């Protein structure tokens, strides 16, 4: 049978393992929702820079944050801006799965329901309400919003 190339870790004799199936009635976004009990809040490198970032946003209304992967830009900086700013905060993720997962993680860490204070908007799916202030979206959804406005 057909399988992935050996350079990708597969064997030409065996087909790849199938993706796990979701339980009946479970939407893909529900399967992504982490439970607050499993979300320990460990220190991240970005934590030391947050006061300076928030001060810059309060003083100038804008800031640029450059940090390496895994430093906490998504899960720490954006939620910290909720406390410092009024209005909506848009956090852009390049992929739909990444946007849904990031929104679920942030909501779990803040111990709020996904779609309330923290939500997401991806093509064909949204978890938003009137209370949503932090919107995790794909670049395409954000560009469509700019064009429509």
């Amino acid at each position: 049978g057909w399988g992935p190339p050996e350079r990708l870790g597969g064997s030409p004799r065996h087909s790849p393992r199938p993706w796990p199936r979701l339980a009946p009635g479970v939407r893909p976004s529900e399967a992504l929702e982490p439970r607050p009990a499993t979300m320990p809040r460990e220190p991240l490198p970005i934590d030391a820079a947050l006061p300076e970032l928030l001060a810059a946003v309060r003083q100038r209304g804008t800031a640029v944050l450059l940090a390496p992967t895994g430093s906490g830009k998504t899960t720490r900086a954006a939620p910290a801006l909720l406390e410092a700013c009024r209005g909506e905060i848009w956090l852009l993720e390049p992929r739909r799965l990444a946007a849904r997962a990031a929104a679920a993680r942030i909501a779990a860490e803040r111990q709020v329901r996904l779609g309330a204070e923290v939500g997401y908007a991806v093509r064909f799916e949204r978890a938003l309400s009137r209370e949503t202030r932090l919107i995790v979206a794909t670049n395409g959804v954000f560009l469509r919003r700019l064009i429509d406005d």
Side-chain angles (χ1 to χ4, degrees):
W2 181 87
E6 290 182 23
R7 64 184 162 81
L8 297 177
S11 164
R13 293 185 182 172
H14 304 297
S15 61
R17 295 171 67 182
W19 288 93
R21 302 260 183 224
L22 294 175
V26 174
R27 293 185 341 199
S29 61
E30 292 170 346
L32 288 174
E33 291 184 32
R35 303 291 177 245
T38 64
M39 292 289 138
R41 192 170 169 100
E42 298 175 10
L44 293 173
I46 202 75
D47 291 339
L50 284 179
E52 186 179 346
L53 172 68
L54 297 176
V57 169
R58 284 185 188 114
Q59 185 179 28
R60 294 185 282 282
T62 186
V64 175
L65 177 62
L66 298 173
T69 303
S71 61
K73 297 180 300 290
T74 298
T75 58
R76 297 289 167 81
L81 290 172
L82 280 174
E83 313 302 329
C85 302
R86 295 188 333 247
E88 292 178 346
I89 297 166
W90 284 70
L91 174 62
L92 301 183
E93 290 289 341
R95 305 274 185 261
R96 289 185 283 177
L97 181 63
R100 290 190 305 251
R105 173 75 185 223
I106 294 168
E109 284 190 356
R110 294 182 66 83
Q111 297 180 345
V112 297
R113 184 180 55 82
L114 182 61
E117 180 184 47
V118 178
Y120 68 88
V122 298
R123 187 173 33 159
F124 307 127
E125 190 177 354
R126 299 176 190 288
L128 302 171
S129 67
R130 291 182 187 263
E131 303 94 47
T132 305
R133 290 194 48 228
L134 176 58
I135 302 168
V136 185
T138 55
N139 298 336
V141 168
F142 183 67
L143 288 174
R144 174 55 53 193
R145 170 88 182 251
L146 291 177
I147 290 170
D148 289 346
D149 282 351

